[in-house]
Amino acid sequence: TPQEPVDCHKSSSTPMPELPECEAARRLVERNCVGRTIEKVIDTEEGGGPRTGQFDDIIMDNLAPGDIGQMLKGRRLDAVKRKGKNIWWELSGIGPSILFHFGMTGAFLILGINDHVEYQNFKHRSEDWPPRYTKLRVVFEGGVEAAFAVPRRIGRVRLRQSVLNEPPISKLAPDPLTSLPSLPDFQASVLTREKAIKAVLLDQEMLISGVGNWVCDEILYHSRIAPSAVAASLDDNQIK
């Protein structure tokens, strides 16, 4: 899997999480938490926001208070995976994986580590612990803590028994970092789409997953392709 080509650095100018920010978040948890056992899970909001002390039943998709702790406590974090803008934790033993979608302002923060992605409209502060708008905090052995903070209630936390075989992951198009289609396959797929190329690139289930508005605009600008151009009308050089 390629690691270096994507620019996964902190940025104060990023409008919202897209593939680079989600990959940076995945690596942050991987570096600091993999191999550690979960000792405690706090699923009520923390950090002093307006819903502090409440269980967020919008963010926690089809979950009840205590569900996540019951399923995760005592299990070891074995791997942190990503497809498109979705990240999930694979855990030891029998039980589901936990799946995260950042929405427009979500982020992972690690206690004592100032290495998270920032967005134009919201700055997560890792020096305040738990961070404001923390929806879920996971305490690992050795005093390591991870927080999932979401200022706007568009992010999601889900439990999945078989992540790759269940929505939303099962519906996603290939990920450009982990499963980029061959050029012939990509060309063939593009040429079947009778829609504007920008709409095609933004559809997470169509060509590739993980591309959002600003990345899409950059791709089309540097390719000198109008966002409104019909995908099926592009020539081979444009598709390359």
Side-chain angles (χ1 to χ4, degrees):
T1 300
Q3 290 291 318
E4 295 308 319
V6 64
D7 186 8
C8 296
H9 62 282
K10 275 197 310 179
S11 172
S12 60
S13 61
T14 301
M16 63 186 68
E18 296 192 25
L19 189 149
E21 291 72 40
C22 291
E23 177 61 14
R26 186 199 68 78
R27 295 184 192 182
L28 176 66
V29 176
E30 182 179 66
R31 285 194 302 271
N32 292 282
C33 304
V34 165
R36 297 181 182 273
T37 298
I38 296 171
E39 295 184 341
K40 185 177 181 181
V41 174
I42 300 90
D43 63 4
T44 52
E45 183 163 328
E46 300 180 289
R51 294 184 179 83
T52 290
Q54 299 179 39
F55 177 84
D56 195 324
D57 59 359
I58 292 179
I59 296 291
M60 306 298 181
D61 190 20
N62 289 315
L63 296 170
D67 284 354
I68 297 175
Q70 182 179 358
M71 295 296 181
L72 269 59
K73 188 176 177 181
R75 300 171 68 193
R76 183 184 63 248
L77 179 57
D78 285 344
V80 185
K81 301 293 184 69
R82 182 194 56 76
K83 187 173 185 181
K85 303 181 198 178
N86 293 267
I87 298 171
W88 67 95
W89 298 1
E90 293 185 348
L91 303 156
S92 65
I94 298 173
S97 298
I98 184 167
L99 176 68
F100 301 88
H101 190 283
F102 282 7
M104 297 179 70
T105 53
F108 287 136
L109 297 94
I110 306 295
L111 177 62
I113 305 294
N114 186 26
D115 192 25
H116 56 277
V117 174
E118 296 179 339
Y119 308 119
Q120 283 181 353
N121 297 324
F122 188 82
K123 304 293 189 292
H124 292 283
R125 293 171 54 87
S126 58
E127 59 266 33
D128 299 332
W129 200 264
R132 191 171 173 87
Y133 303 111
T134 292
K135 304 294 184 177
L136 183 72
R137 180 162 58 97
V138 180
V139 180
F140 294 88
E141 62 179 333
V144 174
E145 297 188 18
F148 180 57
V150 190
R152 299 182 65 179
R153 303 173 77 190
I154 303 174
R156 293 291 183 269
V157 178
R158 301 176 169 106
L159 293 177
R160 292 290 185 266
Q161 290 289 344
S162 180
V163 173
L164 296 177
N165 298 313
E166 298 178 61
I169 302 300
S170 63
K171 293 184 176 182
L172 293 178
D175 184 279
L177 291 185
T178 62
S179 55
L180 184 66
S182 67
L183 180 57
D185 287 346
F186 186 76
Q187 287 175 317
S189 184
V190 170
L191 294 175
T192 64
R193 312 296 178 178
E194 296 288 344
K195 294 183 178 181
I197 185 59
K198 182 171 182 177
V200 170
L201 290 173
L202 290 176
D203 189 323
Q204 302 298 295
E205 300 178 11
M206 197 168 288
L207 286 181
I208 52 175
S209 57
V211 172
N213 195 57
W214 74 267
V215 169
C216 184
D217 286 346
E218 288 293 310
I219 291 170
L220 295 175
Y221 174 79
H222 289 288
S223 303
R224 298 186 177 184
I225 298 173
S228 59
V230 175
S233 71
L234 301 182
D235 61 39
D236 288 350
N237 287 330
Q238 290 175 309
I239 295 172
K240 289 179 183 179

